[in-house]
Structure formats: structure tokens, C-alpha cells
Amino acid sequence: MNLVAQIIGADGAMLDVDAGDKDAVLDRLAQLLARRSGVPEAQVRDGLASRERLGSTGLGHGVAIPHARMPQCAAVAGVLVRTRVPVAFDAPDGRPVSLFLALLVPKQATERHLKLLATAAAMFGDKPLREALRAAQDANEAARVLASWADGSAAQTPR
């Protein structure tokens, strides 16, 4: 199983989330990451927002990877969120975003953080994976799609 799928796990995906704008998405991601990490929601939100101020974490193709390194974080935490309606997120291709992989990593986890981001970028650069996540009927299916990705390709998962 790939590194991203290990972190998201079977219970780390949420589909068809209502969020009208970038701030609402960051609020929701912070809420979910706070539950998974034990870091207070306000601190997670500040960390995500600080990173976004450095430059958008939008990758293009309707995908963004909001993330933050925080000293309060004891272990890597992540969530996959698909919004009901795509949201403007300052992506380089100008397209709105509907797939969000949000990550929270310990401050000292620099090498692992970079490897995780590289894996995530490769995964979400894979068109079949993006399409499968957009077609997923529920969170369990989305988690299976993530887990199916290996060596640069998404395997088709049965429905």
C-alpha cells in the first residue's frame, strides 16, 4: 500500500462536502485534521492558512494538497475530501478544485513530509486515479481507490 493510502486509512475520506469557497474548505479540512491529529482546530487552521499564503497548494486538474508542518503534531495525519462543487483555489491552471488531500506533519518530519508530498503529487497527476476518485460512490470506495494506486497507476477497483 502506498504512503498516502496508509496515512488516510479506511476512515480518512469524506465525499460531497459542502464548502462554498477556499476559506470554508480550509475550515473543514482543519476540523477533520484536528480530529485525526489531536492538534487544536484553530492551530491546524492557522498552519494551513499560513502555508497557503506562501503560495497555493493547488496542483491543477481540480486537485489541491493543503498541508502544514507543526511542532504540536506528534504523527502524520491526513484526510481526503471531495467537495460537492469545485471551489476556486488559485490553482496554476486556473481551474476550481474538488479533490483535496490535506496533510499535517510533525515539524521534525522533513524528509518524510517531502516523500509524502512527492507521492501525493504523483498520485494526483494520474488521470485515472483522479477520475476514479471523482466517480467514487462513497468514502470506502475512495479509500480503496487510493490504496489501489501503486507504481504510477491506479488500478480499477470493483464497485
Side-chain angles (χ1 to χ4, degrees):
M1 183 181 305
N2 65 70
L3 187 57
V4 171
Q6 289 172 15
I7 290 164
I8 301 304
D11 62 346
M14 182 173 278
L15 304 184
D16 300 327
V17 170
D18 287 317
D21 60 21
K22 187 175 187 175
D23 286 334
V25 169
L26 292 176
D27 288 344
R28 188 67 170 139
L29 295 174
Q31 179 185 51
L32 296 169
L33 284 171
R35 284 187 203 150
R36 292 182 68 101
S37 68
V39 176
E41 184 177 332
Q43 291 178 6
V44 174
R45 175 65 166 85
D46 288 346
L48 293 175
S50 292
R51 173 56 189 85
E52 288 299 321
R53 283 192 292 276
L54 294 175
S56 175
T57 57
L59 299 180
H61 303 289
V63 175
I65 306 177
H67 58 279
R69 284 180 36 216
M70 302 186 70
Q72 309 91 323
C73 183
V76 177
V79 294
L80 173 74
V81 168
R82 183 181 74 195
T83 56
R84 186 176 310 279
V85 176
V87 175
F89 213 78
D90 302 317
D93 63 0
R95 292 175 56 190
V97 174
S98 62
L99 292 174
F100 296 87
L101 176 67
L103 301 168
L104 194 63
V105 298
K107 184 85 169 164
Q108 68 277 10
T110 304
E111 187 175 327
R112 182 176 168 123
H113 180 210
L114 293 176
K115 183 176 181 182
L116 179 59
L117 288 175
T119 300
M123 287 177 78
F124 286 100
D126 183 9
K127 185 176 180 179
L129 176 95
R130 293 190 312 266
E131 290 174 347
L133 288 172
R134 288 190 176 106
Q137 298 296 309
D138 58 39
N140 289 329
E141 184 179 351
R144 284 192 304 275
V145 168
L146 285 179
S148 75
W149 189 88
D151 301 321
S153 64
Q156 296 292 10
T157 55
R159 290 189 194 211

